[in-house]
């Protein structure tokens, strides 16, 4: 078995069923091997950067690791902006690529790929022996998910055609995650959060991608209803609980004027699985009067204004949100908050642009 065939088999076992890319001499053999697997769908892109962004979108939509492939040298340089974007978006993607022949630095495609990729913030794994071919696939998928960023997996042209012993008992990266446990919040942090929430009169529950991934959406909805909170989301979590009666839409630079005015009145924000970056906080201008309760699985996290939340609770978003709601219920905490007829009327058409435009048949209104 050739290296490229063993690597293709490993990708399939890792769950790569939809692969985006642009064909070149560096990935030709691997793509051909992938195409022989009936369950694999290969989607061509017109640009290398677009291929990566398509894989990133796939990762966001499915919760799986996205996969794309490009050729070496200029094929990789043309996706650098997308690598930066996917890295900063913390999207798990594995990029298959190649490298020019050993000791052939005079060819136009020869560049220092590791330094290029490292400059974007993405990970880089290069395979130099056939024995490492399949292990590198496992490592790339593991790192992409564990580090929440793209990982470029490089097989130089010399290596791809070498023989290797394919592993029929290939152990996928999923086996490296067995035994993981969801983090439960410390009781004192939970009580501190409950104290801040109980004292608030106009709270906002802000949901990020972490809340969606952990399954915290339902408990967040119950929490918001209990305390009379508006429900808002980060941009990447747009649409979460959109059917809720007091849904305020996106928090940040995409907030409507009406919603921003309501946020000015907020005295507490419970951020669940959200990084609270500078975009979500509108450069620090949003929620000027609010005390922030920040729930996230990360050990600690500065907000986009370079400050720590008034109460940071480390814990799994779903477990922590449920625990907080149950603690407030035990304490008899509930309130009307923002949930009044006047606020409901204000939110009713707050996201509708009053301008009218003729929309051609078969096209989409980007405001919808």
């Amino acid at each position: 078995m050739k290296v490229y065939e063993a690597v293709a088999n490993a990708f399939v076992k890792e769950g790569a069923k939809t692969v985006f890319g642009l064909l070149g001499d560096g990935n030709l053999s691997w793509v051909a091997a992938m195409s022989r697997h009936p369950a694999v769908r290969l989607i061509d892109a017109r640009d290398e950067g677009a291929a990566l962004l398509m894989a990133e979108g796939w990762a966001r939509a499915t919760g799986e690791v996205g996969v794309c492939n490009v050729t070496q040298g200029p094929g990789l340089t043309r996706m650098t902006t997308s690598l930066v974007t996917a890295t900063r978006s913390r999207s798990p993607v594995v990029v298959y690529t190649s490298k020019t022949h050993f000791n052939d630095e005079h060819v136009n495609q020869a560049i220092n790929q590791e330094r290029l990729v490292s400059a974007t913030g993405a990970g880089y794994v290069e395979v130099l022996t056939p024995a490492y071919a399949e292990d590198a696939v496992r490592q790339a998928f593991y790192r992409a998910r564990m580090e929440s960023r793209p990982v470029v997996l490089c097989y130089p042209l010399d290596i791809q055609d070498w023989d290797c012993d394919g592993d029929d008992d290939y152990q996928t990266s999923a086996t490296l995650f067995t035994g993981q446990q969801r983090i439960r919040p410390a009781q004192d942090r939970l009580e501190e959060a409950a104290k801040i929430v109980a004292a608030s009169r106009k709270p906002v529950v802000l949901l990020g991608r972490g809340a969606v991934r952990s399954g915290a959406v339902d408990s967040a909805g119950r929490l918001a209803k209990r305390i009379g909170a508006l429900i808002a989301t980060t941009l990447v979590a747009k649409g979460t609980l959109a059917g809720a009666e007091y849904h305020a839409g996106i928090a940040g630079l995409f907030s409507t004027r009406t919603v921003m005015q309501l946020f000015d009145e907020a005295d507490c924000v419970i951020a669940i699985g959200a990084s609270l970056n500078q975009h979500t906080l509108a450069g620090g201008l949003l929620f000027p009067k609010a005390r922030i309760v920040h729930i996230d699985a990360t050990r600690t996290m500065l907000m986009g204004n370079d400050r720590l939340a008034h109460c940071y609770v480390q814990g799994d978003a779903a477990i922590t949100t449920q625990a907080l709601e149950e603690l407030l219920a035990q304490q008899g905490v509930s309130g009307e908050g923002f949930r009044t007829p006047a606020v409901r009327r204000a939110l009713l058409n707050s996201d509708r642009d009053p301008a009218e435009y003729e929309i051609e048949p078969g096209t989409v209104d980007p405001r919808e």
Side-chain angles (χ1 to χ4, degrees):
M1 180 180 291
K2 300 296 185 181
V3 165
Y4 67 83
E5 294 174 321
V7 172
N9 291 341
F11 266 81
V12 172
K13 291 175 181 177
E14 288 287 351
K17 298 296 190 295
T18 302
V19 180
F20 306 89
L22 190 61
L23 200 59
D25 62 328
N27 55 343
L28 181 60
S29 297
W30 179 82
V31 170
M34 291 292 288
S35 69
R36 288 193 283 271
H37 291 273
V40 175
R41 181 172 58 153
L42 298 171
I43 300 178
D44 296 326
R46 293 187 177 184
D47 176 80
E48 290 84 353
L52 175 54
L53 294 180
M54 291 162 74
E56 184 198 9
W58 174 266
R60 289 191 184 192
T62 64
E64 302 296 329
V65 176
V67 176
C68 76
N69 66 97
V70 297
T71 194
Q72 71 272 354
L76 200 56
T77 62
R78 287 178 60 84
M79 68 157 43
T80 50
T81 299
S82 297
L83 275 174
V84 172
T85 301
T87 298
R88 295 186 178 181
S89 298
R90 305 188 73 243
S91 300
V93 179
V94 172
V95 180
Y96 178 95
T97 191
S98 182
K99 188 177 181 180
T100 53
H101 291 285
F102 297 147
N103 301 320
D104 193 5
E105 291 80 10
H106 300 294
V107 68
N108 289 337
Q109 291 181 323
I111 61 171
N112 190 326
Q113 296 186 164
E114 183 172 7
R115 291 183 64 181
L116 174 71
V117 172
S118 296
T120 69
Y124 187 81
V125 178
E126 185 169 307
V127 178
L128 298 179
T129 64
Y132 185 53
E134 292 173 303
D135 290 342
V137 177
R138 183 187 304 106
Q139 180 187 2
F141 274 84
Y142 172 77
R143 287 183 56 187
R145 189 176 292 282
M146 190 68 181
E147 300 169 10
S148 296
R149 62 170 178 164
V151 175
V152 175
L153 181 56
C154 172
Y155 291 85
L157 289 171
D158 299 86
I159 297 294
Q160 293 184 26
D161 287 326
W162 288 6
D163 293 323
C164 75
D165 296 325
D167 187 0
D168 294 333
D169 297 322
Y170 175 83
Q171 298 294 310
T172 68
S173 59
T175 61
L176 303 178
F177 289 94
T178 56
Q180 282 196 328
Q181 300 178 9
R182 294 194 171 198
I183 301 174
R184 293 187 175 276
Q187 188 63 29
D188 61 330
R189 304 309 301 154
L190 201 61
E191 291 175 356
E192 178 64 22
K195 182 178 179 181
I196 293 174
V197 174
S200 68
R201 294 296 175 265
K202 291 189 174 182
V204 175
V205 170
L206 176 55
L207 302 177
R209 181 166 49 181
V212 178
R213 286 180 173 176
S214 68
V217 174
D218 291 341
S219 55
R222 292 193 296 271
L223 172 63
K225 184 177 181 179
R226 169 170 296 282
I227 62 179
L230 290 177
I231 297 173
T233 72
T234 61
L235 178 60
V236 295
K238 177 184 177 182
T240 305
L241 286 179
E245 194 172 16
Y246 289 87
H247 192 278
I250 298 171
L253 299 174
F254 286 101
S255 297
T256 64
R257 185 177 298 276
T258 298
V259 168
M260 283 188 173
Q261 291 171 348
L262 291 172
F263 287 165
D264 283 344
E265 302 174 20
D267 58 2
C268 175
V269 174
I270 303 101
I272 305 170
S275 63
L276 294 182
N277 58 37
Q278 60 180 349
H279 303 296
T280 303
L281 295 179
L285 299 178
L286 216 58
F287 310 117
K289 305 173 186 176
R291 302 188 72 189
I292 309 293
V293 174
H294 197 175
I295 298 172
D296 200 274
T298 307
R299 182 178 299 176
T300 186
M301 183 186 299
L302 290 178
M303 299 184 293
N305 56 6
D306 292 325
R307 298 178 182 176
L308 194 64
H310 297 87
C311 177
Y312 186 86
V313 184
Q314 182 189 14
D316 174 79
I319 291 175
T320 305
T321 303
Q322 180 178 342
L324 178 59
E325 195 276 330
E326 291 175 351
L327 180 57
L328 292 170
Q330 293 172 7
Q331 297 175 352
V333 175
S334 63
E336 180 182 59
F338 274 113
R339 301 199 169 202
T340 65
V343 171
R344 184 181 180 184
R345 287 193 297 271
L347 289 173
L348 191 59
N349 294 309
S350 66
D351 61 347
R352 179 64 185 171
D353 185 349
E356 294 294 334
Y357 300 92
E358 183 177 349
I359 307 300
E360 296 181 8
T363 61
V364 176
D365 187 343
R367 299 171 299 171
E368 296 296 336

